[in-house]
Amino acid sequence: MTSRGDDDPAAGHARTLLRTATRYSGSRCAALCLVSIAATGAGLLLPAALGRALDLLLAHAPATRWVLCCAGLVLLLGVLDAVQTVLTGTVDARTTAWLRRRLTGHVLGVGPRAADRFGSGDLVARLVGNAAEAGTTPAARAALVAALAGPVGGVVALGLTDWWLAAAFLAGAPVLALLLRAVSRDTSESASRYQRAQGRIAAALAEAVEGVRTVRAAGTEDRETARVLRPLPDLSTAGHRMWRVQGRAAARAVAVAPLLQLAVVAVAGVLLTRDRLSVGEVLAASRYAVLATGVGVLVGRLAGLARARAAARRLGEVEAEPATAFGARRLPEGPGRLELRGVTARRGGRTVLDGVDLDVPGGTTLAVVGRSGSGKSLLAALAGRLADPDAGEVLLDGVPLRELPHGDLRGAVGYAFARPALLGGTIGQAIGLGLPSPSPGRIREAARTALADDFVRRLPDGYDTAVADAPRSGGESQRLGLARAFAHGGRLLILDDALSSLDTVTERHITDALFGDGPGTTRLLVAHRGATAACADAVAWLDGGRVRAVGRHEELWRLAEYRAVFGEGAAPPDPGDNDVPPVSDTWGGNGEGHDGMSRRIRPAAAAGDGTAP
């Protein structure tokens, strides 16, 4: 039994989606419903016309008009069937496109949290396959009205012919009702299992495709194939169950429907012998009995509708994930001061960042370092609101990021990533992504700063080369991502390991240009190399989800545990060694720029135990 929307948010969102999608194609759905009902009406008139023509022919009376009427009804049925097919395809296509557009926008509005929750492969399966299945719902509902009108009209026609005919049919009607109810319930359950198994296969396949070079290098193609296809038995079981449900329903229909038809024909025969029916009316009654027992059509319609509703529920699960909400507070003029106050963030039930406090003065550069899993990338995501903390708040020039409008936030914060996604038709468009009107000069200047101009100019069409036709290394892709961040501008630039694929010479040139911009741009840099951290004004050392220390790289380098972050082997310091300097957790807390930052290393309040590292 389906839960109500109050108890099951996904089901509630699914119903809302389908209602809105139906309204989106409302006029076409109404036309489809009218055409389907008209076709059903023509189908109900045809047996009566055939019966009347037969009676006239048997009586050797003029029957031309009725024969022409029968021919016209057959022609009308053909035309209506063609129109119904076109309208069904149109409504399905429009609804599917609307669902994909709405869900794609919602996924992008949710941000990286959507991929973390569902997985990129499963999301694609929902937005492609499940959206196509759910998109058939409005047309299926319209067709279901006509499919129900046929049996109801057949029973009414039997009653108008003779009430005994209708009584003979209605005696077995409860059996048909129970059959249809069981089909709808069982098909919905098996379809849900089938679609979940499809999603698991799609998620595993996306991972395998993304890591295809690793799989090939390791020679684990067979093992990876087995992993991708591991849910296949569940898919097969759910699929077989779905077909068994429909097969049993069809078998029962084949058993029940002919018995009802035979009962109607038998009663009609008795009435014929008593001169209560003519031969033509017996013919019409036999046709109406077939229409009244149209369980096969209803079974197919109900099964399709059950699969569509199961697919819509999977879309509802995505829509139930709340999109990021933005405020209306304007961002004031400021140097780009970034503050993290008591920021705590959890992922997968684990606390990754625990009560982090940082104050980055405007126009300065803070490098964030730490071992793998210490929360560096998550901190970078929180700093520009690609994610929200579970506790605490992040402020830019004194305004919490949650209170900023979307345009102000994205215009103020630029990002560069370790593996940038180069979106856009051409290289120039990829660099200018997100800019309202990027000028060629601005794009080229950003590329020169990122040392990408030379290799871009060597491409067949330069900056007009299609991204898909531009062969490039990992380092060249990173330089294009850096160029995009430089072209974006803004008061806060966040580099999440965006220099990791560059050679040391290129990295040095880019860091010189990056850190030489002067005041006006605050930079938060996730660093894995000591040389990169050394270029920053200060370094925040993350350890165990907390800020172990903040200070200059050369000052922190005196600590063996800090050197170990960069792979420098050294024995841990003796806790009783008085030569080990304590470390500060604050830097530039007075909001001043480079000259106001703390150069002296003091005891770390963020270390948690009050002891020096």
Side-chain angles (χ1 to χ4, degrees):
M1 184 174 179
T2 306
S3 302
R4 293 185 57 84
D6 295 340
D7 302 325
D8 187 351
H13 280 281
R15 284 193 289 271
T16 302
L17 270 177
L18 294 181
R19 281 197 300 268
T20 311
T22 302
R23 286 197 297 269
Y24 175 73
S25 297
S27 59
R28 287 176 172 81
C29 287
L32 176 59
C33 189
L34 291 175
V35 168
S36 301
I37 292 175
T40 301
L44 290 170
L45 290 174
L46 184 57
L50 286 172
R52 181 59 177 164
L54 178 60
D55 285 339
L56 291 173
L57 290 172
L58 290 175
H60 302 287
T64 304
R65 187 176 60 179
W66 286 100
V67 171
L68 291 176
C69 180
C70 292
L73 286 173
V74 171
L75 179 61
L76 179 61
L77 281 170
V79 172
L80 291 175
D81 182 66
V83 173
Q84 185 177 359
T85 301
V86 172
L87 282 174
T88 299
T90 302
V91 171
D92 288 350
R94 280 175 55 85
T95 307
T96 299
W98 182 85
L99 286 171
R100 287 174 177 166
R101 185 165 55 248
R102 171 161 172 161
L103 268 295
T104 300
H106 183 74
V107 167
L108 296 177
V110 172
R113 190 174 70 252
D116 294 340
R117 162 81 189 279
F118 300 102
S120 57
D122 190 26
L123 272 178
V124 171
R126 292 173 192 248
L127 296 180
V128 177
N130 294 148
E133 287 185 287
T136 64
T137 303
R141 285 175 172 172
L144 184 61
V145 173
L148 288 170
V152 171
V155 174
V156 172
L158 286 174
L160 292 175
T161 304
D162 193 285
W163 70 272
W164 278 105
L165 299 177
F169 178 83
L170 292 175
V175 178
L176 291 177
L178 291 174
L179 171 63
L180 295 176
R181 183 176 181 275
V183 168
S184 178
R185 182 189 64 246
D186 295 341
T187 300
S188 179
E189 179 185 354
S190 55
S192 296
R193 293 181 180 178
Y194 188 86
Q195 291 163 3
R196 285 196 297 269
Q198 278 183 319
R200 292 198 300 272
I201 291 176
L205 180 60
E207 294 173 359
V209 170
E210 186 177 358
V212 65
R213 289 187 297 178
T214 302
V215 173
R216 189 67 179 271
T220 58
E221 293 91 342
D222 293 341
R223 188 185 309 169
E224 194 63 19
T225 300
R227 185 185 71 86
V228 171
L229 299 180
R230 192 170 296 143
L232 200 57
D234 293 338
L235 185 75
S236 176
T237 299
H240 280 85
R241 174 173 170 75
M242 193 159 48
W243 289 115
R244 280 197 301 270
V245 167
Q246 296 185 42
R248 284 197 300 266
R252 292 166 183 167
V254 169
V256 174
L259 292 177
L260 292 176
Q261 294 168 15
L262 184 60
V264 171
V265 171
V267 172
V270 171
L271 296 175
L272 175 64
T273 60
R274 297 181 179 180
D275 294 328
R276 290 180 56 176
L277 294 179
S278 66
V279 174
E281 288 174 330
V282 172
L283 173 63
S286 66
R287 295 302 305 160
Y288 287 133
V290 172
L291 290 174
T293 56
V295 180
V297 176
L298 281 175
V299 166
R301 299 294 184 191
L302 286 174
L305 193 56
R307 290 193 298 270
R309 290 176 61 186
R313 191 187 183 286
R314 283 174 55 79
L315 299 181
E317 291 176 356
V318 177
E319 181 123 320
E321 192 71 19
T324 302
F326 295 90
R329 185 174 172 183
R330 308 303 300 185
L331 187 64
E333 294 294 330
R337 178 182 179 183
L338 176 67
E339 300 173 77
L340 281 76
R341 298 178 180 174
V343 168
T344 296
R346 303 178 184 88
R347 292 295 183 270
R350 182 175 69 93
T351 300
V352 181
L353 295 175
D354 185 11
V356 172
D357 290 296
L358 279 177
D359 190 347
V360 186
T364 58
T365 301
L366 176 69
V368 180
V369 305
R371 294 183 181 274
S372 177
S374 60
K376 302 183 298 297
S377 291
L378 180 55
L379 187 146
L382 296 172
R385 211 191 170 198
L386 295 183
D388 286 324
D390 295 286
E393 60 181 358
V394 183
L395 299 91
L396 182 61
D397 285 323
V399 180
L401 297 187
R402 293 177 185 269
E403 299 180 13
L404 289 175
H406 181 266
D408 283 17
L409 175 62
R410 292 296 152 233
V413 182
Y415 266 99
F417 302 99
R419 291 185 293 177
L422 299 175
L423 308 176
T426 65
I427 293 295
Q429 291 171 350
I431 295 175
L433 184 72
L435 297 178
S437 55
S439 65
R442 182 174 181 177
I443 289 174
R444 291 192 178 94
E445 179 61 30
R448 281 193 289 269
T449 304
L451 300 185
D453 182 64
D454 287 343
F455 81 80
V456 171
R457 288 182 177 274
R458 290 196 298 268
L459 294 173
D461 297 312
Y463 286 89
D464 293 325
T465 303
V467 173
D469 298 334
R472 57 194 181 274
S473 66
E476 289 170 338
S477 294
Q478 276 199 345
R479 278 185 270 171
L480 291 175
L482 285 165
R484 180 172 60 200
F486 295 154
H488 177 276
R491 66 183 73 181
L492 173 62
L493 179 61
I494 301 173
L495 278 65
D496 184 3
D497 200 19
L499 307 175
S500 59
S501 296
L502 305 181
D503 60 85
T504 54
V505 175
T506 302
E507 180 183 0
R508 181 67 190 198
H509 284 304
I510 291 178
T511 52
D512 288 344
L514 178 67
F515 300 147
D517 287 343
T521 301
T522 305
R523 295 158 290 257
L524 181 70
L525 172 67
V526 173
H528 289 83
R529 295 176 181 172
T532 306
C535 294
D537 295 318
V539 176
W541 174 17
L542 287 183
D543 186 24
R546 308 189 72 181
V547 177
R548 179 79 173 266
V550 177
R552 292 297 297 252
H553 174 72
E554 57 267 26
E555 296 169 333
L556 298 176
W557 191 255
R558 298 167 60 187
L559 305 177
E561 291 184 35
Y562 178 79
R563 295 196 300 272
V565 171
F566 302 96
E568 296 290 335
D574 184 353
D577 187 354
N578 294 327
D579 293 332
V580 177
V583 184
S584 170
D585 71 323
T586 59
W587 167 52
N590 55 3
E592 298 176 3
H594 185 281
D595 294 337
M597 80 177 177
S598 173
R599 296 301 188 91
R600 189 167 61 86
I601 302 177
R602 299 191 302 273
D609 56 2
T611 60

